[in-house]
Every structure is written in structure tokens, then in C-alpha cells.
Amino acid sequence: PEHPYSYGELCPKVNRFLDRVYSPDRVLHPLRRIGPKGTGEFEQISWDDALAEIADRLTRIIDEHGGEAVMPFSDAGNQSLLATQGISERFFHHIGATRLLRNICGPTVGAGVAMTNGTSLCADPLDLEHSQLIILWATNTRLTNRHLWPVIERARERGARLVVIDPIRTITAEEADQFVQPLPGTDIAMMLAMMHVIIRDGLIDTDWVAEHTHGFAELADHVAELSPDWASERCGIDADVIEELAHAYATTRPAAIRTLIGAEHHENGAMFYRTIACLPALTGAWRDRGGGLMRSVGTWQDQLVDTAAFTRPDLLAGRTVRTLNMSRLGEILLDERPPVRAMIVWNSNPLVIVPNAERAREGMARNDLFTVVHDQFLTDTARYADIVLPATTHIEASDVTPAWGHLWLGWNEAAIPPLGEAVGNAELFRRIADAMGLTEPSLFDDDMTVLRAALPTVDLDALRRDGWWRVPYPDDGTPYAHGGFPTPSGRVEFASERLARMG
């Protein structure tokens, strides 16, 4: 109840999490495949037998084909530090495995915003309380960001206007002062038309643009013909609506745009975020607390984490290994040369999350691909595994939990012992390393040792005692009031030479 963000209230998305923990369908013991891949036919075996088979198969594959024949596949199933990083990256670096580019989700947003601002760090959404205009663009806040909604309600009590932009009439849209419903995939055209109006009508913050942006002349030239009438034909929105919104955004202070991850899951997702990041720079919205662009603040939390201490890239010992894009799993498993011959999956269900799922399924059906899946349930992916291992839930594992929506790093204390024979992700890789006879000491660090190394500026004992730790963030709530953008030019880049070089 004392938590400064949640006040003890669960998000509706997890308020039945215990049903998951105690589900009769939980995988609670190691399983070995006994039927064709995909049929879900398994027999229960012991951890010793499972580890012996995994160690034997991986060792033979590495001896014959090299470490790159082994590929990790994980994402953010259990979103906590040991679960997502833990011992796993150390293990794969040590054996020289293929590296995985984990960019199917949040990195799309980060890359887009960073191409404009040089960083994915944005404003704290809790500062929406100070806003006079709030634009919720491509986010269903009332449903999926329940803890932020009271902040928006307080801002509205103080006179703030709420605009929701979404191709779907969500429960958030129903609460808005104005709902703008563009056709799916046309948001960028609407943003460009808003810029057209802001520039055409002299509504830019001239001083801020001159001091802190690069490429304004190119941007002005680019949007000169991209009028509201032009956008209206594409977006299905009246030109007058775009005109009015552009004026309101440019003349109201503080004005905030709040977005999250909806647009990244679509074609041109990164460009959605690259473009939306230009709007607060045009109007100087970054000057104000409660102004600017707000998305995930997980990147502020990332600054506390010494990633190298987690992943230990030094364990590659000078080797250069290939990096493969998780979004291309089907192509990787069917076409990549030299082929991937073993895959270890944890914290993820790739057959559900990757594009072109049928190609991925065909790849996972290969009889010469040795697959280990560590999960809580017999997922679509696990049905194609040779060995399935039982994984803990958050309720059964102590860990540090960064947040997307607020600036408090969290401690998650295990509430119950692991059910059955389930183990956490870090323990999984300690066991595999031991079974393979590996002797690198860092592969066997205990959880607290790993966390202390990876969080050098955090008092871990205080975090565990108190439950949360405030992430460093500007006290005045204006991270970019005076510029300081880490782009090549040191400014917001309306024109990007990096993007031009990329084509």
C-alpha cells in the first residue's frame, strides 16, 4: 500500500496471476519428447537425466560444429533482471554461441525515438499531472496502464484537455474530451500534416528550435505540401480536425504526447516514433514540466544496470560470433548457413511472437534441431522441444524488477517455494553449465552476487528491505529543457544523416 506508484493495487492484467501459478496445466517436472515434434507427446524424466542428455547433445554439437551452432532464444516472459539476463548470457558467451538480436518489441520504439533525439529516454509520465493538454496516441491507457489513469484524472480536474488518437474506439477513447480515429497505419501522415500547420502558421518555438534542433529548413521543405487536406485523404479524418489539433498542441502549455508500444508492432513502427518525436521539438514542449514526449521509462532504469557485469562479453575471449535477428526465426532455422543445430528457449514463446510463424514452425519441426524449452506451460513452442524444463513464476522467485511505467526499481520477494521441480532462469544455466563440466567461475555465481555486480550504485539490502529504489531523474521534471540531446549534432535531428546512410 505504501508503494509510490501502485499504492498496492494490481494491474488488471495480472490480478488473476495466482490462477496461473496454481494451474493444473503447469509444467512441474522435466519432460522428454517421445512422439513427433509438435504433437506434445512427452514422458516425465528426472532433472539428472534431462541435464545429462542436454550436456551430451550440446557438447557433441559444439565439438563438431563450433559454438555458433547453438542459438539462444529468449525475450521478456518473466520481466526481471535475473530472469532476463542472469547467468544465461555468460553461458552463451563462454561457449561462443550465436548471439540473438532481441528487437521484436521495445527496441523498435527506442530506435525510432533515438533517431530523432539520440536516446530513447523520454519524460516521466507521472508529470502528466502538470499538463494542460494530454494526447494519448496509440495507447489504451485506461485499460493497459491502469496506474497512470488517476494521474490523468487529476490533471483533468485541474483543467487539462484529453485527446485520444487511436484507430480503435477503446475504453480510453470513450473517456476523452476528443477522440480522433485515423485509419490504421496512417498516423505518420497525420503527424506530418500537424507539422505543416505548425510551421505554416508560425507556431514554432523559434528560439528553442534555433538552439536545440538540426535540419529545420529541410523539415519545413519536406512538409510544405503535406497539408491537412493531403493527410485527410489518407487518414480518413477531416482536415479541420487536424488543423485544430495542430493549433491546440502548439499553443497549449504544458502539452504532452503519451505513447507506448502499440505502433511498434506494425509496418513502419520505428518511423512512427521517429516522427512523433519531432513534434515536441517544434513547439519547445520540452521546456515545461508536463510537456514533451512520454513513453516507457524503463530506459531510465536501465542506466542503473551494468549490463557487462551481467552478460560478461569478455568471456568470448576475443572470438567474433554471428548475431541473428529474432524476428527472422523462420529464415534462421530453414536457411541460415552454417545451420543452427541447437536452440535453447526460455522466457519466450517464439511460435506465438515472431512474424511468419509458419516458417518458424517448419524450422522447429526439423528432426536435426535439438531444442530445449524452459517454461511454465507446454506452449506452442514447447510442443516442438526435445526436452522441456519446468520454470518458476514471479511468485516463486526473488528478483529485481525494473518498471516500464514509473521510476522505482522494485524488489520481488518469493512468496512461496518453487512448485514441483521448477527452477528460475539463472539456476537453469548454472545446472546446464555444471552438467557440461564447464569450470568458468562466473557461471556459478549465486543470485545475490550477480545482482550486486550488476547494480553497483544500488544498495541491494535497502532495496530488499524497502521494496523499491527511486531511479535518478531530473528533479525539475524537464530532462531536455536546455537541450542536451546525444545525437551526432547534439540537437534534435529533424534531418538525420544516419537514416540517410541507412537508405
Side-chain angles (χ1 to χ4, degrees), residues 314-332:
D314 58 292
L315 295 178
L316 279 169
R319 292 169 291 183
T320 300
V321 297
R322 65 184 173 183
T323 298
L324 300 178
N325 183 337
M326 70 186 315
S327 300
R328 295 178 50 249
L329 181 62
E331 297 169 53
I332 289 168

Side-chain angles (χ1 to χ4, degrees), residues 112-236:
V113 174
M115 283 298 174
T116 298
N117 291 346
T119 174
S120 59
L121 297 174
C122 290
D124 179 7
L126 289 185
D127 280 332
L128 287 173
E129 188 166 351
H130 303 281
S131 305
Q132 283 298 301
L133 175 64
I134 300 170
I135 300 178
L136 298 179
W137 203 321
T139 175
N140 187 5
T141 305
R142 190 171 165 225
L143 179 67
T144 67
N145 195 183
R146 174 69 188 89
H147 295 96
L148 186 63
W149 189 249
V151 177
I152 294 172
E153 288 180 322
R154 288 197 295 272
R156 298 179 80 185
E157 289 171 1
R158 297 172 182 173
R161 179 184 174 206
L162 177 64
V163 178
V164 172
I165 303 175
D166 199 308
I168 297 173
R169 184 179 287 275
T170 63
I171 64 170
T172 306
E174 295 289 354
E175 291 291 316
D177 297 301
Q178 181 182 11
F179 172 45
V180 181
Q181 189 174 19
L183 294 170
T186 65
D187 305 74
I188 295 171
M190 185 172 165
M191 296 171 197
L192 294 170
M194 288 177 65
M195 294 183 209
H196 169 97
V197 173
I198 292 168
I199 295 171
R200 181 199 68 197
D201 295 350
L203 301 177
I204 67 169
D205 185 328
T206 306
D207 292 341
W208 204 93
V209 167
E211 293 175 20
H212 303 302
T213 72
H214 167 76
F216 172 74
E218 291 94 326
L219 177 66
D221 182 64
H222 180 68
V223 301
E225 302 302 321
L226 307 183
S227 67
D229 287 330
W230 168 86
S232 178
E233 295 178 6
R234 290 155 177 79
C235 303

